[in-house]
Amino acid sequence: MTDRGTATTNPWVALRPGEDAVAHARAVLRAHGTIIGASGGRRPDGVRPVVHDSWLRSLRRGIDPDLVAQPALLSGHELEQYRVGHPMALIRPVVRKLLVEDAADSGLLVAISDEQGRLLWVEGDHSARDRAQSMSFVEGADWSEDRVGTNAPGTALALDHSVQIFAAEHFNRTVHDWSCSAAPVHDPTSGRILGAIDITGGSRVAVPEVLQLVRATVVAAEAELRLHMMTSPHLFASSAPRLDTFGSGRPTLRNGGERTHLSQRHAEILLILADHPEGLSSDRLAVLLDESELDSVTIRAEMSRLRKVLGPEHLGSRPYRLLTELDTDVAEVRRALDRGDAASAVRIYSGPVLPGSDAPGVEEIRDDLRTRVQAALLRGGDSDLLARWTASIHGRDDLAAWSAYLTTLAPTSAQYAQVKAKIDRLDRQLAT
């Protein structure tokens, strides 16, 4: 049989026409056990590269394969406020018309997420919704790949591509009874990812026709967004180029509807220049990129290559500086902090700034941003936000945040005991 990972098959589709779903589910389950049990390894036969790569990312992030924890669940008024103001609310009528209305008694769920993987709406079959609660597939939950591992909406957003995830292809064993098909939705002007549309159900969701249906719905949804933009040209955020640096994925530049993956060095240069609008000399930029290794010739060569990526109209020299506006995810978090919106800052701040970089200028930006977010949380003392922070990659070892979180809990609660135990573990680690 032809390997499912070869070029002769569509890597984004889970089940091929006529394939035995039960037999394939068993094969994938065996492969899942092998990879998870060994914490990695070569791709087993019959496992798609897109799935195997996602499993490895999930392992590297330390995601629990047996638990879907949602410490940062949005609910009630907070969720309602957030999703009503989100651009994906504009396409909900289209999604309901094309997908939800026919899913009432079908065993299927239709979910709309934001750009970070948070589920804004989960609609469809009532019994399926009840069953999905056991795995926290509910409105307000974070189903990003960073939170729960391989899953269709989270992986579609991570890769910016439509994808199906079948049964045990999910990283988390809690989700192995489900299959899903999802595709990202983009801002028609800037190309920025706004969220994702997902269909979740049994194995029949993993056939090619369902992925085609989801992609067709995305086309209709983006057409709807274009209509809204004809009457409200400034409906979305600034259309200036934007640099995304958070998390373990490759840094990305979004510009005019195009997404360009950048090398780490180019992302470092752009982030540092965005943080120094006055411009930098060659020597100063070299120091901020590497304290000892770079010379002016190397800097000129890197800037020349970067101009070919951006276009010469965006970069100036003598001093090196940005000639046009460049937004960054770092700046977005800072704006949220400046207006006192710690909740948005924590939500947007999805991972460290260029985590693989040891450039002094980037380390300074990374440390400063983490310190500012932490200070806002400690100052505000909001129990829910502290819970989100301590569950995140930023705050899982933050003793000050854990201690502040403890003060918001009732001493008689089970959560109090768990947080106290975590604080004691951190104290012992710091003492060694």
Side-chain angles (χ1 to χ4, degrees), residues 4 31 47 101 128 138 147 180 184 249 267 308 353 379 398 404 424:
R4 298 178 60 83
V47 175
E101 289 181 3
V138 295
R147 167 55 57 189
C180 42
K308 293 178 181 178
V353 178
R379 186 167 57 248
D398 186 343
D424 291 342

Side-chain angles (χ1 to χ4, degrees), residues 79-389:
L79 172 61
E80 188 61 29
Q81 265 196 322
Y82 174 61
R83 65 186 183 180
V84 167
H86 197 278
M88 293 294 279
L90 297 171
I91 68 168
R92 187 183 175 212
V94 172
V95 175
R96 298 191 89 248
K97 182 69 175 176
L98 296 178
L99 299 180
V100 176
E101 289 181 3
D102 296 326
D105 300 308
S106 64
L108 302 179
L109 296 176
V110 177
I112 299 175
S113 84
D114 72 0
E115 68 279 16
Q116 302 296 333
R118 187 173 299 280
L119 304 181
L120 303 178
W121 291 275
V122 179
E123 302 179 274
D125 185 271
H126 291 294
S127 61
R129 289 183 68 181
D130 291 341
R131 288 192 297 113
Q133 288 183 3
S134 65
M135 62 177 183
S136 298
F137 193 81
V138 295
E139 294 177 345
D142 178 356
W143 272 72
S144 63
E145 199 180 71
D146 284 345
R147 167 55 57 189
V148 300
T150 311
N151 73 94
T155 302
L157 291 170
L159 300 179
D160 192 15
H161 201 287
S162 57
V163 68
Q164 292 179 317
I165 301 297
F166 168 70
E169 288 182 337
H170 288 93
F171 182 78
N172 194 288
R173 295 184 178 95
T174 309
V175 197
H176 284 186
D177 290 337
W178 300 81
S179 297
C180 42
S181 296
V185 177
H186 300 86
D187 175 338
T189 300
S190 69
R192 176 169 64 98
I193 295 178
L194 299 177
I197 297 172
D198 168 77
I199 296 179
T200 290
S203 60
R204 63 195 178 106
V205 172
V207 300
E209 293 79 5
V210 175
L211 190 60
Q212 292 168 6
L213 176 60
V214 173
R215 293 173 62 184
T217 303
V218 166
V219 171
E222 292 178 350
E224 179 72 9
L225 290 175
R226 289 188 185 91
L227 291 176
H228 281 282
M229 295 180 71
M230 290 175 64
T231 56
S232 303
H234 304 294
L235 184 63
F236 303 132
S238 169
S239 59
R242 174 187 165 98
L243 175 65
D244 292 331
T245 67
F246 292 156
S248 57
R250 288 187 64 183
T252 302
L253 182 71
R254 300 195 304 245
N255 186 17
E258 297 182 358
R259 296 170 60 85
T260 304
H261 293 301
L262 300 175
S263 68
Q264 181 165 280
R265 179 63 83 199
H266 286 170
E268 290 169 344
I269 292 172
L270 286 178
L271 183 62
I272 290 170
L273 291 180
D275 221 44
H276 294 82
E278 73 281 5
L280 295 167
S281 68
S282 177
D283 290 343
R284 180 58 180 158
L285 180 57
V287 169
L288 291 175
L289 289 171
D290 191 313
E291 289 181 336
S292 58
E293 296 296 327
L294 298 182
D295 55 28
S296 59
V297 174
T298 302
I299 292 296
R300 284 198 299 272
E302 288 290 356
M303 294 299 292
S304 177
R305 285 190 283 267
L306 184 53
R307 283 192 182 94
K308 293 178 181 178
V309 175
L310 289 182
E313 70 276 11
H314 296 290
L315 290 173
S317 57
R318 299 181 183 177
Y320 289 123
R321 64 198 185 280
L322 294 171
L323 299 178
T324 56
E325 183 182 357
L326 175 67
D327 197 11
T328 68
D329 47 10
V330 172
E332 187 177 7
V333 172
R334 287 172 175 167
R335 290 193 295 268
L337 293 173
D338 289 343
R339 64 176 183 266
D341 187 358
S344 292
V346 171
R347 175 176 51 79
I348 299 163
Y349 191 24
S350 57
V353 178
L354 294 178
S357 172
D358 56 5
V362 172
E363 290 182 335
E364 181 178 347
I365 293 169
R366 184 191 301 141
D367 294 344
D368 175 73
L369 191 66
R370 185 186 182 282
T371 300
R372 286 191 61 185
V373 174
Q374 181 201 44
L377 293 174
L378 296 178
R379 186 167 57 248
D382 184 290
S383 179
D384 290 340
L385 292 182
L386 287 167
R388 289 188 216 173
W389 177 256

Side-chain angles (χ1 to χ4, degrees), residues 408-427:
T408 69
L409 301 173
T412 56
S413 69
Q415 190 67 18
Y416 184 96
Q418 294 175 25
V419 173
K420 183 65 167 63
K422 174 68 175 183
I423 291 172
D424 291 342
R425 286 197 298 273
L426 289 175
D427 277 331

